[in-house]
Amino acid sequence: MIAYTHAEHSVRWLLVGLGPGIVALALLSTGTWAKETAARAAALFEEVDRGAAPQPADRR
């Protein structure tokens, strides 16, 4: 029974540690930055589909 209790606490701390990281990744992947990145990637795929070579984006 003691081993189970110790394992339960370890799992709980694992969830407490990883949970905020998962939430942060979810927010980053659905934010404005992610949408703009997806739009740029889609434009590159459209260029490739038309047979044009993709041009490097201007770095700001």
Side-chain angles (χ1 to χ4, degrees):
M1 188 69 165
I2 293 174
Y4 174 76
T5 305
H6 180 68
E8 180 185 1
H9 289 292
S10 298
V11 171
R12 185 176 302 150
W13 282 113
L14 183 67
L15 291 174
V16 167
L18 294 177
I22 292 170
V23 170
L25 287 174
L27 292 174
L28 280 173
S29 67
T30 58
T32 303
W33 172 76
K35 291 176 186 176
E36 291 172 357
T37 302
R40 286 194 305 270
L44 289 175
F45 279 113
E46 287 176 8
E47 287 181 20
V48 171
D49 286 343
R50 286 191 310 247
Q55 300 298 319
D58 292 333
R59 300 275 177 178
R60 294 179 200 170

